[in-house]
Amino acid sequence: AYWSSFESDLSPACRFTPANTADLASGIRILSSNKCQFAIRSGGHMPFPGASNYDGKGKNGVTVDLSSINQVQVLDSWKQNGVVRTEKVAKLGPGARWRDVYAKLDPLALTVPGGRVDTVGVGGYLVGGGLSFFAHTVGFACNSVLQYEVVLGNGTVVLADSSQNADLWLALKGGHNNLGVVSSFTMKTLAIPNGIWAGNAVSAPSYINQIYDALYHFGEIAGRDGLTTDISGSTSIFYFNSPSRNTVFISNFLASTTGVAFPAILSNFTAIPQFTNTFRKATLGEFVFELGGSDSGAFIAGHRQILGEITFMNNIEMMKTAQQIFESTFAPFAQVKGYTQVFILQPIHRAILAANEKMGGNVLGLGEKDGNTIWYAILLTWDDTSFDKAINDACKKFFADVTVAAKRLGVYHPFIYLNYATKDQDSISSYGAVNVQKLKVAAKKYDPEQVFQKLVPGGFKLPNGGGDGEMHHGGH
């Protein structure tokens, strides 16, 4: 099962579904020693062709399907270099879906920072960074990974944490499929004794300027106050348009992770008139099901899907400009069979970015210095495959035009979030030269044969094929 038909339409010569780490290691050893190309799939949610399925026309290549390595264990301790660390952790297989994780953790009043859509897989989400409802406290989800068990390109299995293979541990926090196949993630848990208050507010599109105003003020206040107190509020704004169903609405998913209903930080949003809302206290499992399986159909499997993202500074004029560019760029496709278009705004403010540093960092390259940003994502869905090229080209034009507009307004930010990027966007370079170099050095050390650059063509590769991963010393 894949979310996007761009992926489900592909067929490798065979699928390999290991049941455990030992099987996975044997398989990777056989594939690499025979120079056989492969793809790696955990949840199959990355939408573009080849990201997690091998395009072998049924004759070539292998898809390594991790869906059976799907354990979700809650443990009272973990081992680091022979030392027992006593703390509650969750040990997750890459093939688990986030709904499985929350099903196990919710009854214990515990959680980990994880996906907000039920069907997303653990593995891809965590190696791409991971945005969760708890970002204001712990930054990106990958920051909470205490230890990885990794199968390297030659089939050996290693542990990576802050004391052993620490360079690999850091590189996997955003390094995607460029270093190895992670067979388990040991994560620090968070206690949620008072549960979660959240829900979806649906408003008429005429309120979009009020939403932009509320979003701007939320980003500024949360980015300032969140540095010193737990502001606990988050928002994701979806502007949904389905021309064939003649449906246009704004859906704003609000969450309060301390369980406080209608927290003051979200009052500018809750004050905007709504057709309906689902605000309530419930489990994370219920909320991620609502976001994943909701009526909007944004995450329904089996259609053409393009997801892409651009970052800019928190600025109302830029939000309005991006919407104008979005609507004019994609207007020609309104009559395409099954066509829907969504743009999504998420405030990635200074407190979230500062939490990355507080949690020991990652390779995404964002920190408090970046200020209050907006991640602006687009999600396009359609069924008529004869429009694939035209819609793909329109996406490229959209991101180019928004980049020009952001630079003109002085609010441009180069970051591209890998888990939302199109196949044409160079997310890894947007981490910055220092982090790209860390990734290349780690790849050279842990994958000297370049298995993950040369034999795994899918997803996002290191710039220049991972070359120039030399250790630089001396007075350069």
Side-chain angles (χ1 to χ4, degrees):
Y2 286 90
W3 174 42
S4 160
S5 66
F6 279 125
E7 285 280 65
S8 50
D9 284 358
L10 307 180
S11 53
C14 78
R15 296 183 81 77
F16 166 53
T17 309
N20 53 46
T21 303
D23 285 359
L24 173 62
S26 304
I28 298 294
R29 188 178 306 117
I30 292 165
L31 291 169
S32 64
S33 59
N34 287 286
K35 300 278 183 271
C36 175
Q37 291 207 332
F38 61 101
I40 306 158
R41 172 192 181 275
S42 55
H45 219 267
M46 195 164 258
F48 58 82
S52 56
N53 200 5
Y54 192 82
D55 184 8
K57 315 281 185 281
K59 297 189 196 59
N60 301 307
V62 173
T63 293
V64 177
D65 186 333
L66 301 172
S67 56
S68 295
I69 305 183
N70 60 357
Q71 75 277 11
V72 178
Q73 297 172 288
V74 181
L75 306 170
D76 291 317
S77 65
W78 62 288
K79 253 196 178 126
Q80 182 177 40
N81 239 343
V83 179
V84 175
R85 304 277 180 209
T86 307
E87 58 182 319
K88 266 222 185 335
V89 294
K91 194 172 183 182
L92 312 177
R97 309 265 181 159
W98 288 105
R99 62 177 173 221
D100 310 327
V101 176
Y102 303 137
K104 191 79 169 258
L105 293 174
D106 281 337
L108 305 173
L110 283 178
T111 195
V112 290
R116 295 166 300 165
V117 169
D118 56 348
T119 53
V120 168
V122 163
Y125 169 92
L126 285 172
V127 294
L131 189 56
S132 78
F133 293 125
F134 300 90
H136 57 279
T137 319
V138 293
F140 302 131
C142 61
N143 302 337
S144 292
V145 180
L146 296 166
Q147 188 175 66
Y148 301 88
E149 180 187 72
V150 192
V151 178
L152 300 179
N154 61 5
T156 56
V157 181
V158 299
L159 293 176
D161 55 45
S162 62
S163 82
Q164 48 194 338
N165 301 313
D167 47 356
L168 179 60
W169 175 68
L170 183 70
L172 284 165
K173 298 182 180 201
H176 189 49
N177 64 8
N178 288 293
L179 299 139
V181 185
V182 180
S183 47
S184 86
F185 299 83
T186 299
M187 293 187 77
K188 200 176 181 60
T189 57
L190 293 165
I192 39 170
N194 304 312
I196 304 284
W197 178 88
N200 204 14
V202 178
S203 298
S206 55
Y207 291 109
I208 191 65
N209 286 341
Q210 261 176 271
I211 295 253
Y212 290 153
D213 193 64
L215 178 59
Y216 171 76
H217 286 100
F218 170 82
E220 294 303 299
I221 294 163
R224 180 193 69 210
D225 297 354
L227 294 172
T228 50
T229 50
D230 182 358
I231 49 123
S232 111
S234 71
T235 171
S236 301
I237 294 152
F238 299 76
Y239 188 101
F240 185 90
N241 181 0
S242 173
S244 58
R245 287 190 269 166
N246 204 12
T247 308
V248 186
F249 60 87
I250 301 165
S251 148
N252 186 2
F253 199 90
L254 298 169
S256 160
T257 51
T258 46
V260 174
F262 296 96
I265 188 92
L266 299 178
S267 58
N268 285 347
F269 295 115
T270 52
I272 293 167
Q274 297 145 21
F275 294 132
T276 58
N277 72 59
T278 60
F279 298 143
R280 67 206 186 280
K281 224 167 165 167
T283 63
L284 264 172
E286 289 168 283
F287 290 128
V288 299
F289 173 74
E290 180 181 353
L291 265 170
S294 62
D295 299 338
S296 73
F299 298 105
I300 304 300
H303 305 277
R304 289 301 201 231
Q305 305 280 4
I306 287 184
L307 180 60
E309 189 271 341
I310 194 161
T311 303
F312 48 76
M313 303 312 293
N314 188 26
N315 178 281
I316 292 173
E317 193 183 345
M318 188 62 221
M319 297 175 200
K320 292 179 179 175
T321 303
Q323 181 178 351
Q324 286 159 4
I325 297 171
F326 180 82
E327 288 179 344
S328 62
T329 305
F330 298 110
F333 306 113
Q335 303 313 311
V336 171
K337 183 176 184 298
Y339 181 78
T340 60
Q341 60 181 41
V342 185
F343 63 82
I344 307 164
L345 296 97
Q346 299 181 93
I348 308 300
H349 52 70
R350 186 185 285 114
I352 292 173
L353 301 181
N356 285 320
E357 295 163 313
K358 185 182 80 195
M359 291 288 293
N362 52 56
V363 290
L364 280 78
L366 297 175
E368 189 178 340
K369 64 174 181 351
D370 291 278
N372 297 320
T373 68
I374 298 287
W375 284 5
Y376 195 98
I378 65 170
L379 174 58
L380 309 173
T381 305
W382 70 99
D383 292 323
D384 183 342
T385 58
S386 69
F387 281 90
D388 290 357
K389 185 180 182 324
I391 293 175
N392 228 334
D393 289 346
C395 276
K396 286 189 216 176
K397 182 174 170 10
F398 170 77
F399 287 115
D401 291 351
V402 173
T403 298
V404 168
K407 287 179 174 173
R408 190 184 70 234
L409 289 170
V411 295
Y412 170 74
H413 194 292
F415 184 75
I416 298 163
Y417 178 46
L418 186 144
N419 285 349
Y420 296 169
T422 72
K423 68 179 190 325
D424 300 308
Q425 295 184 290
D426 183 2
S427 174
I428 289 176
S429 290
S430 81
Y431 295 176
V434 170
N435 288 305
V436 169
Q437 187 60 21
K438 280 181 192 166
L439 285 170
K440 287 180 173 182
V441 170
K444 196 177 172 84
K445 178 173 167 186
Y446 293 99
D447 183 21
E449 299 291 306
Q450 291 205 302
V451 171
F452 294 97
Q453 300 311 306
K454 293 181 173 157
L455 297 183
V456 182
F460 297 94
K461 301 289 91 179
L462 300 179
N464 324 322
D468 191 33
E470 305 301 329
M471 299 294 287
H472 294 301
H473 295 291
H476 300 308

